[in-house]
Amino acid sequence: MAGLFTKQAAVYAAARPAYPKDLFTKLASLTAHHRLAWDVGTGNGQAAIGVAEHYDSVLATDVSAEQLLRAVAHPKVQYLHTPDAMPGEDLVTTLGGEGSVDLITVAEAVHWFDLPAFYGVARRVLRRPGGVIAVWGYNYRISPVEDMMARFFNTTLPYWDPRARYCTEGYRDLPFPFDDIGLGREGEPASLDMEHEMSFEGLVGMLRSWSAVATAKQQGVDLLGERVVKELEEEWGGASLVRKVTFKAFLLAGTPRADD
């Protein structure tokens, strides 16, 4: 997973939208305690910073050391590089042992994980009762430019890692073996609208940060060549236009099952 995002880490940090503050307020209202949160696949720390407003401390981990170099500093957030090969037992110990975590968040990343291994660690470290896990993501569905985005997305299809399908399908078939707490459940993710002021430069930067676009370029195919960018610019309404867009995101949240 780490290799997919190493080369475009700087682009990723600059291009991705911020997550809504009320999302973190809602998640915090669902946990019994607010001592420790674990933000997994933190990237540049976008979600970790939001979580830190509600918890005493946040451990933010990622398999990409390059991403963490660009993480936003915060006094309550500790960033930690966790290589793919890190044993689950070591991770549990690093997080403070079993039953030590009040909230686990995974923003735009869980589809890359070894899900059985990750969920196994999550069940062990979440506080019982009262611990919550929440995973969310977004894809090419952006209003009001859905048609433009769908056409570009179709050009990227040959270059996506198979694991990305969970995200492109809106997490509708993502395994999520946790009890429903009223904020999306396995097979039925909740809708999450994320409003964002986006320039055309920001749009192109976001598209360049897609792992499929980077993979295509490594294979000698520039999906964002001059002609394509010009076509996107015309559909956007001009290079200088800043538009208010809405990312049609999706969310699953739950708590460990009693029999796990």
Side-chain angles (χ1 to χ4, degrees), residues 15-21 24 46-47 136 138 194-196 247:
R16 297 298 178 118
Y19 302 118
K21 291 183 177 181
F24 302 111
Q46 286 173 302
W136 66 91
Y138 56 90
M194 304 193 312
E195 295 185 346
H196 184 60
F247 287 78

Side-chain angles (χ1 to χ4, degrees), residues 1 12 38-45 47 60-63 68 82 105-110 113:
M1 174 185 165
Y12 189 104
W38 176 28
D39 185 48
V40 198
T42 194
N44 61 7
T61 63
D62 204 287
V63 298
L68 292 175
T82 50
T105 53
V106 191
E108 190 68 2
V110 76
F113 293 178

